[in-house]
Amino acid sequence: MKVLLSWVREFVDIDESAEAIGRKLSMRGLALEGLEPHGTDALLDFDVTANRPDCLSMAGIAREMAAAYGVPFREPAARLAPQLSAAMARGGASLPITIEAPDLCARYVGAVADVAMGPSPAWLAERLASCGVRSISNVVDVTNYVLLELGHPMHAFDYMRLDGPAIVVRPARTGERLTTLDGKPRTLASDMLVIADASQASAIGGVMGGAESEVSDATSRIVFEAAWFKPQSVRRTSRALGLRTEASVRFERGADLTAPALAMARACELLEQIGAGTLAGPFIDACPRPYVPGTIWLAEPRIEGLLGMRVPHAEVRRILEALGFEVQPGDGGWTVRVPGWRVDVHRNVDLIEEIGRHHGFEHLPTTFPGVQQAPAPSDPRIARDAWVRQVALASGFSEAISFAFIEARHADPFLDATPAVALANPLSEKFAVMRPSLVPGLIAAVGHNRRHGQRDIQLFEIGTRFSKQGESRALGLAWTGLATPDHWSGARRDADFFDIKGVVEAIAAHVGVTLDVDPPAAGSLPDRVLVPGRAAVVRRDTEIVGWLGQLQTVVADAHEVPANDVVWAAEVDLDRLAPTDKTAVLLAVPLPRYPSAVRDIALVVDESLSAASVRGTIQSHAPDTLANVVEFDRYQGKGIPDGKVSLALRLTFQSAERTLTDAEVEGATTQVVELLARECGAVRR
């Protein structure tokens, strides 16, 4: 809000520099964004928050200054009261006003005036120009002057161009058209409010007037309008038409229901002052819903309890009355009546905020209040996610943060039985649905990096997924390029299935979970998005908690990943992998005191039998002394029957109580071989 200092001083006497005033009001919630000298005058630009439409005027800013400096404020209503009373009782030309939508227009004040169109006097045009408003004509300039001075929008119609002449405030008819003052034809909807004459719409209520009834050089009689329109209706109409004006900005934030008659009185006064016209009849005040001021009980202890400091009684009353509130002392507090222009004040905490602002937040004590109870425990998911993040970072991955809403076509491959959660009002088609998986966002990041010359990419994200059933926390991984950093000491090798699998297993192990890996079921999500034979689901006990594998080319192509790139991806449901409602039991054991013994065995098994199945069979029936089992070789070829494969395993035996004898180790090895022969049909080579 641009404020001319000389204009504001017509309402309040403050002998301070513009810089000092700006600093003072900035400490009271009206941040000074700019200060521009205007000769001997100054223009201050304040950042007015959306909940303070009363400060979008010279009078509103002046009232804040008066409260801040503790000086009297010259209330416009008191000065204009005689003119208002005289205008209400005046005889002469009248105008029928009908309000057909009282829920959208609670008050409409109209007046007829005879005018002589022409330019505005220099002082008026200069004041408008300093605030960024172009001078048009004396009549139009009067409406803009009142808008800036009192903060209430007005409009002027050409009386002779109104059919009837009459004013009808009604909803627009579906498909009704109106050319607005900017020269653009508008098609209106039935939920929009119009100001019409007896036959057609003449203005869009609270937004902009119509070209058909616009005042011109030939205008000799006008109809002044000052009204109150429902904020939600103006906001909806302005957005639907893409039409934002100085009037709509004020109406959609909430106008003062008591202001229309006051604004009309000031406009008529200005009209006569500059010799542009005279009132031709009385004010017609149509008010189907008279204003009833709200009252709030403000208990004295509540102020100190909320601010943490005591404010003297006299100071409480001074501040509130300076801001326009009526204060009546009571037992232990005050009954406060809220003025019509303070549409943001509804509760006692709003009043306490006003007291705190003008008493000075700089007076707040710097000590913390005493803690009465222990703080609530942190969400256990925070610690779990931190462990997962630590392992992912240690594995060479970089953390990515992607949007929670994505394109519908990118979400489709990752949907499982239920449709995506669609946004009611998406910003664009690129943000149409909530993500059902973290992987689409990671693939998009991979594509972005590849287009910028990066080949070796490891990304992870911990975030929320969305479905019709609710939200779930997940870990997503994406990996393409080298498995290890390029170095002279070793050969280059691209990442493969076992690399991404190892990272998932390492993360699970860090939260105390052992996972099993199985082929995906036909038609399941991983079966649809991953390459056959390079896909797996991740299982904890009997529950599937995620999947991993190589992304199909068509899925990667959708995010502009080069066709030759192999992208490995994984996603794990963290809420299922490590539920936070279960208490983890950590067991500390000493390091082994006795040596281990290692035996290598080679077995011939069916090629359809996975190494994981062989390992799982050993671990589920192995002797107590078996400490570890790992596969180190797989051979298929000469000397191995068709349909068979040679699998080499390394068995590590160890006891925590003594050194094992060769006989015990050999016996345990034989036991493992016999187990595999019985359970898996294995033959030792």
Side-chain angles (χ1 to χ4, degrees), residues 222-252:
I222 64 168
V223 174
F224 264 147
E225 165 198 278
W228 183 96
F229 301 109
K230 186 176 181 179
Q232 295 88 335
S233 173
V234 176
R235 189 181 305 116
R236 182 171 57 246
T237 300
S238 175
R239 183 179 300 174
L241 296 177
L243 188 59
R244 189 170 177 83
T245 63
E246 290 293 332
S248 69
V249 165
R250 287 163 172 79
F251 278 126
E252 69 185 24

Side-chain angles (χ1 to χ4, degrees), residues 125 128-129 131-137 140-141 144:
L128 293 178
C131 296
V133 178
R134 179 173 59 91
S135 177
I136 299 174
S137 68
V140 176
D141 288 355
N144 287 331

Side-chain angles (χ1 to χ4, degrees), residues 381 384-385 388-389 438 461-463 465 472-476 507 511 540 545 571-580:
R381 292 177 298 179
R384 180 200 64 192
D385 292 354
V388 172
R389 180 177 291 105
L438 301 178
E461 181 172 7
I462 298 171
R465 305 173 302 180
S472 60
R473 197 80 174 158
L475 163 72
I507 289 171
V511 294
R540 177 184 179 178
V545 298
E571 186 168 56
V572 178
D573 188 325
L574 294 178
D575 294 332
R576 293 183 178 180
L577 175 70
T580 55

Side-chain angles (χ1 to χ4, degrees), residues 356-591:
R357 279 198 312 122
H358 280 284
H359 184 63
F361 287 129
E362 65 272 18
H363 296 144
L364 288 172
T366 56
T367 56
F368 286 100
V371 177
Q372 302 298 321
Q373 61 183 22
S378 299
D379 189 331
R381 292 177 298 179
I382 296 175
R384 180 200 64 192
D385 292 354
W387 296 339
V388 172
R389 180 177 291 105
Q390 180 181 357
V391 180
L393 291 170
S395 300
F397 285 76
S398 298
E399 185 169 11
I401 300 176
S402 60
F403 287 113
F405 24 80
I406 60 176
E407 286 188 63
R409 66 186 182 96
H410 291 158
D412 286 344
F414 296 90
L415 296 174
D416 206 355
T418 58
V421 179
L423 296 180
N425 297 294
L427 296 175
S428 72
E429 287 302 315
K430 290 186 176 293
F431 308 110
V433 300
M434 303 301 291
R435 62 187 180 193
S437 167
L438 301 178
V439 174
L442 291 173
I443 307 171
V446 169
H448 176 81
N449 279 272
R450 290 293 286 115
R451 291 192 298 275
H452 287 77
Q454 298 298 317
R455 180 184 180 275
D456 307 318
I457 305 162
Q458 292 177 258
L459 298 175
F460 80 94
E461 181 172 7
I462 298 171
T464 303
R465 305 173 302 180
F466 304 86
S467 71
K468 296 289 185 180
Q469 286 73 40
E471 303 176 8
S472 60
R473 197 80 174 158
L475 163 72
L477 300 166
W479 193 348
T480 185
L482 293 177
T484 56
D486 196 8
H487 195 263
W488 61 266
S489 63
R492 295 166 59 92
R493 179 180 70 81
D494 283 348
D496 59 22
F497 177 88
F498 298 100
D499 292 314
I500 194 78
K501 173 175 172 286
V503 174
V504 172
E505 289 176 335
I507 289 171
H510 201 66
V511 294
V513 175
T514 300
L515 297 177
D516 294 308
V517 176
D518 297 320
S524 64
L525 188 155
D527 184 58
R528 298 194 308 271
V529 301
L530 301 177
V531 175
R534 298 185 176 185
V537 292
V538 180
R539 179 169 46 80
R540 177 184 179 178
D541 299 328
T542 59
E543 183 180 26
I544 293 177
V545 298
W547 52 266
L548 59 90
Q550 180 185 341
L551 284 174
Q552 291 189 15
T553 303
V554 66
V555 178
D557 282 349
H559 297 274
E560 301 181 27
V561 176
N564 294 330
D565 281 13
V566 174
V567 180
W568 300 96
E571 186 168 56
V572 178
D573 188 325
L574 294 178
D575 294 332
R576 293 183 178 180
L577 175 70
T580 55
D581 58 348
K582 296 181 179 179
T583 303
V585 177
L586 301 179
L587 181 63
V589 296
L591 293 172

Side-chain angles (χ1 to χ4, degrees), residues 205-278:
V207 181
M208 184 177 280
E212 186 66 27
S213 59
E214 180 182 9
V215 296
S216 65
D217 292 342
T219 299
S220 60
R221 175 168 280 193
I222 64 168
V223 174
F224 264 147
E225 165 198 278
W228 183 96
F229 301 109
K230 186 176 181 179
Q232 295 88 335
S233 173
V234 176
R235 189 181 305 116
R236 182 171 57 246
T237 300
S238 175
R239 183 179 300 174
L241 296 177
L243 188 59
R244 189 170 177 83
T245 63
E246 290 293 332
S248 69
V249 165
R250 287 163 172 79
F251 278 126
E252 69 185 24
R253 295 185 182 196
D256 178 5
L257 190 57
T258 67
L262 183 67
M264 186 68 72
R266 177 58 172 147
C268 292
E269 180 187 56
L270 273 172
L271 204 65
E272 294 187 6
Q273 179 184 340
I274 66 175
T278 58

